[in-house]
């Protein structure tokens, strides 16, 4: 539970009071009430602690109402992500001390109280994430924070609103992490339908296309990719309709490859276990839809589609050289069966655009290893046919701390996909792998404004941050999408 207190923070009686501190330009000790300053000034003078970003300092305070003080540095001009990271630092310290109650206070600064309330709570919730459901030994059972009390410098009302936004966004992102953490044998395509149907109880309609329906619709992309698997594929469609008449529709599509062995173009075994994360785009879309169900946006319809499949080698698997017909009739020569994401997305994009006539489409996919070569683990790749939609997504990325970087598209790249025997081939050669993958998708979106996010570098092993697990899935994309929908 989170509350915003209008009492004096000196009255706070819980396990720990965390104080966010701005580093003063002149290097002086930050100004604080004497009872707190008393604990800060000696370490400050000794040079042991400065209010730099990433620094924190815990003291025991028998003479105060609270048991501990945690000083947390913000640097001299924190932005939203700086506050989020301070929240993550607080979460790590709380977990270490197994705290169940916590207060957070801050001084007046240039960010608004709603920004700080939102970001600090997001940081704490995201930073408290653990996944230990498959550990049977209970040596270190996770202790969770029960009660968080906020003491903003001013603006209690906005702070409360910010904190409420954060609770929804962080819960969604943690839900995406939960899905991604499930291994391939537990999280099969059918699990996406189970999840979808359970979300379908909250203001969303859920429809699941089974293999038979996909055959009837001639979705040769997802059927071809999945044909080597004993697990049936699924196409999960979640719809939210807002109260406003004639509102625009935003379509979200997420790659839900529950395991990508590469198929007949088998991947090397080293690191192949990470390919259970090849459904992170789908997880982000499901998680964003969960938030849509909770927040019920007033003026935009949102549809989420997750094509879910498994890419396995077997005697029934699709083979290099095979030609498939995707939804809508375009034919594709499959040169490399490991370039499977674009095949399932082709069906989902073409189907979603035809069925829902969206004003904009965003797809998220762990699509290419090449995006890691280009951008590392710090930003995802963005490729788009529309500058206005790109600007919106870039802005949502900045606000959420899930950063994007645009790469170009163009006919030179599309030309790399020319096939001798079909409309297209599914790979464009060694050069510009991330761009040719997106150029392939572009063939299926027509003129609809579309943004593709290649999250292969950020969905796990994301850039080091206190509120993101160092190993395992980050939930990347869920909060960006939520921000985009909130500001649509
Ligand atoms: N899921 C992978 C992309 C991937 C690779 C994500 C490494 C994260 C880490 C995708 O299906 C794939 O295998 N892409 C191939 C495309 C190639 C065959 C053109 C790749 O990137 O190697
Ligand atoms: Mn692959
Ligand atoms: Zn893949």
């Amino acid at each position: 539970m989170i509350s915003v207190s209008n009492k004096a923070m000196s009255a706070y009686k819980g396990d720990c009071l965390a104080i966010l501190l701005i580093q003063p330009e002149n290097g002086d000790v930050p100004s604080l009430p004497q009872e707190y300053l008393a604990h800060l000034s000696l370490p400050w003078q000794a040079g042991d602690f400065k209010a730099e970003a990433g620094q924190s300092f815990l003291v025991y305070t028998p003479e105060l109402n609270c048991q501990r003080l945690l000083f947390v540095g913000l640097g001299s001009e924190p932005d939203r992500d700086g506050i989020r990271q301070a929240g993550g630092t607080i979460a790590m310290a709380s977990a270490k001390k197994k705290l169940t109650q916590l207060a957070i206070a801050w001084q007046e600064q240039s960010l608004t109280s709603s920004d700080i309330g939102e970001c600090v709570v997001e940081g704490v919730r995201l930073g408290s994430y653990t996944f230990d459901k498959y550990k049977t030994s209970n040596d270190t059972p996770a202790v969770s924070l029960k009660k968080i009390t906020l003491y903003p410098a001013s603006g209690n009302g906005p702070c409360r609103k910010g904190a409420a936004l954060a609770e929804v966004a962080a819960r969604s992102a943690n839900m995406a992490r939960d899905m991604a953490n499930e291994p391939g044998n537990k999280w099969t395509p059918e699990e996406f339908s189970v999840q979808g149907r359970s979300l379908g109880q909250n203001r969303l309609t859920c429809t699941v296309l089974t293999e038979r329906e996909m055959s009837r619709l001639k979705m040769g992309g997802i059927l071809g990719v999945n044909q080597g698997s004993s697990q049936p594929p699924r196409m999960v469609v979640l719809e939210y309709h807002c109260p406003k008449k004639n509102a625009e529709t935003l379509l979200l599509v997420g790659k839900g490859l529950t395991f990508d062995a590469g198929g007949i173009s088998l991947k090397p075994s080293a690191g192949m276990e990470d390919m259970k994360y090849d459904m992170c785009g789908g997880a982000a879309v499901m998680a964003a839809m969960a938030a849509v169900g909770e927040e019920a946006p007033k003026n935009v319809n949102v549809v989420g589609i997750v094509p879910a499949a498994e890419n396995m080698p077997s005697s029934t698997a699709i083979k290099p050289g095979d030609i498939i017909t995707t939804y809508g009739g375009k034919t594709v020569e499959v040169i490399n069966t490991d370039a499977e994401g674009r095949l399932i997305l082709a069906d989902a994009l073409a189907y979603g655009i035809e069925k829902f006539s969206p004003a904009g489409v965003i797809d998220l996919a762990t699509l290419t290893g090449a995006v890691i070569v280009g951008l590392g683990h710090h930003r995802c790749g963005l490729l788009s046919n529309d500058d206005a939609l790109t600007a919106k997504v870039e802005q949502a990325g900045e606000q959420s701390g899930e950063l994007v970087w645009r790469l170009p598209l163009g006919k030179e790249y599309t030309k790399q996909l020319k096939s001798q025997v079909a409309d297209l081939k599914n790979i464009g050669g060694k050069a510009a792998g991330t761009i040719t993958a997106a150029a392939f998708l572009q063939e299926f979106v027509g003129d609809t404004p579309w943004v593709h996010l290649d999250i292969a570098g950020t969905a796990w092993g994301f850039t080091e941050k206190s509120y993101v697990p160092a190993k395992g899935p980050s939930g990347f994309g869920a909060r960006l999408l939520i921000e985009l929908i909130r500001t649509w």
Side-chain angles (χ1 to χ4, degrees):
M1 220 222 18
I2 301 218
S3 58
V4 178
S5 178
N6 33 32
K7 304 209 183 75
M9 67 179 180
S10 57
Y12 178 69
K13 283 207 177 85
D15 295 338
C16 182
L17 170 63
I19 304 180
L20 308 181
L21 295 172
I22 304 257
Q23 171 74 23
E25 295 292 354
N26 59 11
D28 281 358
V29 61
S31 62
L32 278 177
Q34 182 51 39
E35 63 219 84
Y36 308 116
L37 195 61
H39 292 276
L40 185 59
S41 44
L42 280 178
W44 192 278
Q45 279 155 27
D48 291 359
F49 175 77
K50 282 206 179 68
E52 298 298 352
Q55 286 202 21
S56 67
F57 181 78
L58 184 82
V59 285
Y60 292 83
T61 50
E63 84 291 3
L64 298 182
N65 281 317
C66 61
Q67 204 187 349
R68 305 172 183 85
L69 283 182
L70 177 68
F71 295 109
V72 185
L74 295 175
S76 51
E77 244 187 280
D79 58 8
R80 280 171 56 94
D81 208 53
I83 303 290
R84 222 177 262 122
Q85 295 193 46
T89 303
I90 295 172
M92 291 202 288
S94 307
K96 218 163 152 185
K97 302 289 177 221
K98 302 194 190 303
L99 305 185
T100 59
Q101 322 140 351
L102 171 77
I104 308 171
W106 57 87
Q107 308 157 284
E108 206 65 64
Q109 51 189 285
S110 51
L111 285 170
T112 64
S113 138
S114 95
D115 272 335
I116 300 172
E118 178 185 354
C119 293
V120 79
V121 169
E122 234 172 58
V124 170
R125 292 304 194 205
L126 293 168
S128 303
Y129 177 80
T130 55
F131 184 82
D132 44 22
K133 84 184 249 206
Y134 294 110
K135 288 203 182 274
T136 59
S137 67
N138 257 1
D139 308 344
T140 52
V143 178
S144 64
L145 278 168
K146 296 274 172 325
K147 198 161 171 275
I148 302 176
T149 313
L150 303 178
Y151 290 90
S154 65
N156 286 18
C159 177
R160 193 168 292 122
K161 283 193 183 137
L165 292 174
E167 290 277 53
V168 174
R171 205 181 310 127
S172 292
N174 285 340
M175 176 200 269
R177 293 170 175 183
D178 275 343
M179 290 182 234
N181 265 316
E182 291 289 345
N185 61 331
K186 305 283 182 189
W187 195 271
T188 57
E190 168 60 13
E191 291 307 307
F192 271 115
S193 348
V194 173
Q195 179 82 29
R197 280 192 288 263
S198 92
L199 294 179
Q201 293 165 3
N202 194 14
R203 299 197 189 100
L204 306 174
T205 5
C206 175
T207 322
V208 177
L209 304 184
T210 60
E211 196 159 15
R212 180 195 296 242
E213 285 147 336
M214 290 189 262
S215 308
R216 195 175 49 81
L217 291 165
K218 301 201 167 64
M219 294 183 163
I222 183 168
L223 291 171
V225 167
N226 202 79
Q227 76 188 39
S229 170
S230 59
Q231 297 292 334
R234 295 284 183 258
M235 178 91 62
V236 183
V237 183
L238 282 164
E239 291 172 56
Y240 168 78
H241 296 278
C242 71
K244 191 181 146 198
K245 280 229 164 76
N246 304 320
E248 288 183 338
T249 298
L250 181 62
L251 173 62
L252 313 176
V253 176
K255 173 178 174 184
L257 235 294
T258 60
F259 190 75
D260 179 13
I264 296 297
S265 314
L266 191 63
K267 286 184 181 295
S269 52
M272 202 205 273
E273 66 278 10
D274 282 350
M275 285 300 125
K276 70 179 177 189
Y277 300 138
D278 209 19
M279 36 59 73
C280 283
V285 167
M286 297 291 277
M289 291 309 292
V292 167
E294 285 195 55
E295 295 188 338
K298 290 206 169 48
N299 51 19
V300 61
N301 303 319
V302 189
V303 177
I305 301 186
V306 178
E310 198 180 54
N311 188 21
M312 299 294 275
S314 90
S315 71
T316 61
I318 192 166
K319 303 172 294 295
D322 285 0
I323 297 175
I324 57 177
T325 305
T326 55
Y327 183 83
K330 278 203 172 73
T331 56
V332 179
E333 182 189 9
V334 177
I335 302 294
N336 188 319
T337 66
D338 199 11
E340 84 299 336
R342 60 198 78 182
L343 302 176
I344 72 170
L345 290 169
D347 283 343
L349 288 166
Y351 173 73
I353 288 169
E354 183 185 294
K355 185 158 166 99
F356 299 103
S357 313
V361 187
I362 321 282
D363 81 75
L364 287 88
T366 48
L367 206 62
T368 65
V371 81
I372 311 176
V373 179
L375 298 174
H377 299 285
H378 313 304
R379 287 175 180 259
C380 76
L382 180 156
L383 298 101
S384 175
N385 60 4
D386 190 87
D387 293 347
L389 188 58
T390 294
K392 283 186 183 167
V393 173
E394 283 172 340
Q395 172 68 15
E398 291 287 337
Q399 287 290 306
S400 61
E402 298 185 327
L403 300 178
V404 305
W405 194 259
R406 190 173 187 178
L407 298 170
L409 288 165
K411 58 180 186 309
E412 311 82 350
Y413 298 106
T414 306
K415 206 172 141 204
Q416 288 179 234
L417 297 167
K418 256 192 137 133
S419 163
Q420 297 299 313
V421 290
D423 297 337
L424 284 166
K425 53 184 187 180
N426 78 328
I427 58 169
K430 271 215 171 72
T434 301
I435 302 177
T436 54
F440 181 92
L441 299 179
Q442 189 178 16
E443 295 297 303
F444 297 87
V445 299
D447 297 331
T448 306
W450 154 79
V451 161
H452 160 62
L453 299 178
D454 191 333
I455 60 170
T458 50
W460 70 97
F462 187 32
T463 196
E464 192 182 334
K465 290 187 190 196
S466 58
Y467 66 84
V468 182
K471 292 205 175 91
S474 59
F476 187 99
R479 290 184 305 102
L480 180 152
L481 291 176
I482 293 169
E483 178 68 29
L484 181 75
I485 294 162
R486 283 174 178 164
T487 52
W488 188 261

